[in-house]
Amino acid sequence: MIRDKITTADEAIALIRDGDVVSCSGFVGIGTPEALITALERRFVETAAPRDLGLVFAAAPGDGKDRGLNRLAHEGLVRRAVGGHWALVPRLAALATASRIEAYNLPLGIISNLYRDAAAHRAGTLSKVGLGTFVDPRHGGGRINDKTTDELVRLMEIDGEEWLFYKAPLINVALIRGTTADPAGNITMEREALVLDAQAAAMAARNANGLVIVQVERIAAAGSLDPRQVIVPGVLVDCVVVAPAEAHQQTYATAYNAAFSGEVKVPVDRMTPAPLDERKLIARRCAFELPLGGVVNLGIGVPEVVAAVAAEERVLDHLTLTAEPGVIGGMPQGGLDFGAAVNTQALLHQNQQFDFYDGGGLDLACLGMAEVDRFGNVNVSRFGTRLAGAGGFINISQNARRLVFAGTFTASGLEVAIEDGRVRIAAEGRQRKFVESVQQVTFSGALAARRGQTVLYVTERCVFALGPEGLCLVEVAPGIDVDRDILAHMAFRPKIGDDLKMMDARICRPKPMQLFASLLDLQLADRLSYDAERNALFANFAGLVIRSADDIQSVRRVFEALCERIGHKVALVVDYDGFRLDESLSDAYFEMVSDLQARYYSTAVRYTTSAFMRMKLGAELEARRFAAHVFETHGEAVAFAERLASLRRDSGDSP
């Protein structure tokens, strides 16, 4: 017979012992078991027990004031805390920076994966994440204060490459949250905005013969839950606590939004555009880096505005925005709703999301910046006694293919006027962000430069790029004077690019920028490569998706512009692997292809591994009376093109 696991918060919390290591779920207020944390604080205040707990948390379960883990900032209650993000638990962070507790800041994604390692009784996580940053043992090993001496991170060399080894914790107690439980403890999360690491943390505690306590908002009859909806099975759960509504808000800002849980879709095109201020100006410039068809992560602060700009410019449907707690697709939210999203395509466990991120799944990340030095190092994690923590910043910044840091040029008192398409600094900020040396390295510019990672630093007045020698000034906003408004407010002199450009003036005007057409043209242009020696034009259409008539016109514009510059007919070779074309656009697309072929190509060959696409291309071209030279592989296509070129040369027919 399965026992009934439903109990009160006080009865469940009474089972926690002195010295237990407690993991707590939560991403800001999402998934944060407020009723359980409140009961733990209440027990300690009333009885002075339990004492000397260890705390493990990935993303800070807190509101930046008093809720969440801030409730546990009592002398004697906590002995050690290992956390990924600290900014939203300032009361606990104050104990850490004052050396009142042992404390570590490790990458959020690493802690997320350590739950799985602990569950499987593995020694820990082996990763390159954190090399060259403050979590590298050569630079502190993630220790927050001098009281903290144990080594949780080790440097290892495997086959001549450096790796970091993160030791798995022993977790005795898991405090997690769900929506619905049955008497056996099976947990579903249908009204939660995220699932986070609840399953992995519960498994870690269960396999350590520990205690798993789950906060829910309602109870279902035994056997009534859909097993496919159960996130945490009852075999992992010891106690279920039904929380009052005020302790079970969906986020700290929102009691419940059906769009956050995927019940409804919302029309993002009806959202009121934000006013044009310095934050939106920066976000607009960042938006010009968005990869159509790509996967993107947007961080906290100014990067949050990039999602709003993408929606306003109608490009959101051409991107897959993600958020580190597991959101795939849709539009991420900001403020105390951060972590949630509307119109999502999928929701992963947080540790799965970081597997994707760490493996290079992001085409672009746009993140905030607080301090930057001449080498391109960025600090977002520690400022004197203020402890923000790295969160997922290290995982994301180190592994995204392309990276954009976004933030104002100075802080504290900065006033920016945007007038007549120009930027004017009305009042300069008192705090410099571009400093001689960052206090803590959260992103290693030197490591990124060695790896050839593309990195930009975007502000309201200029843009820097990361080069082999550090920062290089590459763009200046209209109305900005380089000496007066930029160099005078930096602690170092950056390299100034030989081809210093003006930032696109459209970012300084309130009307829509027509961003989609610009992005499509720019990114299609990157897909074309002309070999003058062979007079061959190579087009990489691999993975390209044609969704609209505007897409077709963009292809036409880009080909026409390049071919007109070349000035004579070329031999075309096109990779159609993974190419997708909306069937309703087929006639218009192939009419455009036929027109370009008649005007600009001496010969044209195409290739794809898709038998269907080869058949489609052949049929459409033959119907328009063009030779259908369509092959399966690149090698076959190039060899045929070279034979055709040789025949043309032998016949004296050359450009």
Side-chain angles (χ1 to χ4, degrees):
M1 181 177 178
I2 298 176
R3 71 180 180 89
D4 190 321
K5 299 180 179 181
I6 303 166
T7 185
T8 68
D10 290 335
E11 290 170 339
I13 293 299
L15 300 173
I16 299 176
R17 304 160 301 181
D18 291 350
D20 275 345
V21 177
V22 180
S23 74
C24 184
S25 71
F27 193 98
V28 194
I30 302 171
T32 300
E34 196 72 25
L36 303 183
I37 298 170
T38 301
L40 179 55
E41 179 190 29
R42 182 168 57 246
R43 178 187 169 196
F44 181 80
V45 169
E46 293 176 355
T47 69
R51 301 186 63 83
D52 298 326
L53 298 180
L55 276 184
V56 180
F57 55 95
D63 65 349
K65 296 178 181 178
D66 303 313
R67 289 181 286 184
L69 292 184
N70 290 294
R71 298 182 185 278
L72 305 186
H74 294 281
E75 294 279 351
L77 174 55
V78 176
R79 180 182 67 85
R80 170 185 286 188
V82 179
H85 188 62
W86 288 77
L88 296 176
V89 287
R91 291 176 58 188
L92 193 64
L95 294 181
T97 55
S99 298
R100 310 298 287 271
I101 61 173
E102 297 176 20
Y104 299 82
N105 181 199
L106 302 182
L108 191 161
I110 293 296
I111 295 176
S112 199
N113 279 307
L114 285 173
Y115 287 137
R116 290 190 302 189
D117 290 326
H121 288 189
R122 289 189 288 263
T125 293
L126 193 63
S127 177
K128 290 182 180 290
V129 170
L131 285 169
T133 73
F134 72 90
V135 299
D136 189 317
R138 294 167 292 191
H139 306 295
R143 300 178 184 88
I144 291 173
N145 56 42
D146 293 337
K147 180 184 179 74
T148 306
T149 58
D150 287 352
E151 185 180 76
L152 299 188
V153 189
R154 287 161 42 198
L155 179 69
M156 300 181 68
E157 184 175 301
I158 301 175
D159 294 336
E161 294 186 29
E162 290 185 339
W163 295 78
L164 295 182
F165 175 76
Y166 296 86
K167 183 179 179 181
L170 176 67
I171 294 173
N172 307 111
V173 179
L175 304 181
I176 61 175
R177 182 176 125 168
T179 298
T180 308
D182 66 13
N186 294 301
I187 309 297
T188 61
M189 297 189 176
E190 63 274 15
R191 285 169 57 88
E192 305 297 314
L194 301 167
V195 297
L196 299 172
D197 295 313
Q199 183 188 86
M203 197 175 294
R206 167 65 176 77
N207 286 353
N209 295 317
L211 176 68
V212 177
I213 307 174
V214 188
Q215 171 182 318
V216 298
E217 64 176 87
R218 59 195 183 190
I219 300 297
S224 65
L225 296 179
D226 182 345
R228 291 166 296 185
Q229 299 299 316
V230 172
I231 303 297
V232 182
V235 294
L236 303 181
V237 175
D238 296 288
C239 301
V240 173
V241 173
V242 179
E246 63 271 17
H248 203 95
Q249 290 195 167
Q250 194 177 32
T251 78
Y252 279 139
T254 303
Y256 184 71
N257 183 332
F260 291 176
S261 59
E263 281 187 62
V264 298
K265 300 284 187 183
V266 297
V268 296
D269 58 346
R270 295 183 185 176
M271 295 181 179
T272 304
L276 182 57
D277 58 10
E278 65 272 17
R279 287 167 57 89
K280 185 173 182 179
L281 186 148
I282 297 167
R284 284 178 138 205
R285 172 59 188 85
C286 293
F288 276 93
E289 303 301 318
L290 291 171
L292 295 182
V295 181
V296 179
N297 173 273
L298 301 176
I300 299 173
V302 173
E304 295 175 40
V305 187
V306 177
V309 170
E312 183 181 330
E313 294 286 341
R314 307 292 194 269
V315 300
L316 202 56
D317 288 344
H318 299 271
L319 305 167
T320 302
L321 299 185
T322 68
E324 57 261 42
V327 170
I328 301 287
M331 185 172 177
Q333 303 298 288
L336 290 178
D337 285 331
F338 184 68
V342 299
N343 302 348
T344 56
Q345 298 171 15
L347 188 62
L348 306 183
H349 292 256
Q350 187 167 246
N351 47 64
Q352 296 169 334
Q353 186 80 304
F354 278 101
D355 287 343
F356 178 61
Y357 284 0
D358 290 351
L362 287 172
D363 296 297
L364 175 76
C366 182
L367 305 173
M369 58 182 180
E371 286 185 334
V372 183
D373 66 22
R374 66 171 67 245
F375 303 109
N377 297 320
V378 177
N379 173 26
V380 298
S381 49
R382 182 79 182 260
F383 315 95
T385 58
R386 186 163 72 87
L387 176 62
F393 188 96
I394 298 176
N395 299 83
I396 295 166
S397 64
Q398 192 171 313
N399 294 299
R401 292 186 177 95
R402 294 171 59 237
L403 185 58
V404 177
F405 292 111
T408 56
F409 193 81
T410 60
S412 302
L414 174 67
E415 294 181 15
V416 177
I418 304 169
E419 305 161 333
D420 301 320
R422 298 169 67 83
V423 176
R424 179 173 61 85
I425 307 304
E428 191 58 79
R430 298 182 299 275
Q431 182 181 335
R432 287 185 174 182
K433 287 189 173 183
F434 290 85
V435 298
E436 181 62 35
S437 179
V438 297
Q439 180 179 343
Q440 191 170 71
V441 177
T442 329
F443 169 78
S444 172
L447 179 63
R450 287 198 302 271
R451 294 171 55 218
Q453 189 177 20
T454 300
V455 185
L456 295 180
Y457 306 76
V458 177
T459 76
E460 78 287 349
R461 64 189 78 177
C462 63
V463 178
F464 298 95
L466 179 65
E469 300 174 359
L471 286 196
C472 179
L473 180 64
V474 294
E475 293 181 27
V476 177
I480 292 296
D481 181 84
V482 172
D483 291 319
R484 180 193 67 215
D485 297 321
I486 299 175
L487 300 181
H489 305 286
M490 300 180 70
F492 59 92
R493 184 179 179 86
K495 179 181 177 182
I496 298 179
D498 296 333
D499 56 344
L500 186 61
K501 299 176 182 177
M502 191 71 69
M503 293 168 72
D504 195 310
R506 285 177 289 176
I507 68 174
C508 302
R509 300 191 183 102
K511 63 182 181 181
M513 301 184 294
Q514 305 303 317
L515 180 65
F516 177 71
S518 296
L519 289 179
L520 196 57
D521 286 5
L522 285 169
Q523 292 176 29
L524 276 170
D526 288 341
R527 290 174 174 267
L528 304 185
S529 174
Y530 176 61
D531 184 334
E533 184 176 340
R534 291 192 285 179
N535 190 38
L537 176 58
F538 295 93
N540 175 18
F541 278 10
L544 181 65
V545 181
I546 301 295
R547 296 186 177 92
S548 68
D550 288 342
D551 295 358
I552 296 173
Q553 291 309 310
S554 184
V555 173
R556 180 189 293 277
R557 285 193 302 271
V558 170
F559 271 88
E560 286 178 339
L562 179 55
C563 291
E564 289 293 337
R565 287 200 302 272
I566 293 170
H568 52 73
K569 289 191 173 185
V570 298
L572 177 73
V573 179
V574 189
D575 177 0
Y576 270 99
D577 240 7
F579 175 85
R580 286 185 289 159
L581 172 66
D582 189 302
E583 188 61 34
S584 65
L585 301 170
S586 182
D587 286 344
Y589 177 79
F590 283 105
E591 286 299 326
M592 177 271 297
V593 167
S594 299
D595 177 57
L596 293 177
Q597 183 152 337
R599 294 160 57 200
Y600 296 116
Y601 312 147
S602 56
T603 60
V605 296
R606 299 163 176 91
Y607 65 95
T608 172
T609 55
S610 167
F612 172 78
M613 182 55 68
R614 290 198 300 273
M615 180 180 68
K616 176 75 171 175
L617 288 167
E620 293 288 353
L621 291 168
E622 287 174 356
R624 289 163 176 81
R625 300 182 180 180
F626 287 101
H629 303 311
V630 185
F631 298 89
E632 183 175 0
T633 68
H634 172 268
E636 292 171 344
V638 170
F640 185 80
E642 289 177 347
R643 287 198 301 273
L644 287 179
S646 177
L647 290 172
R648 290 175 61 82
R649 286 193 298 270
D650 292 343
S651 66
D653 184 10
S654 60

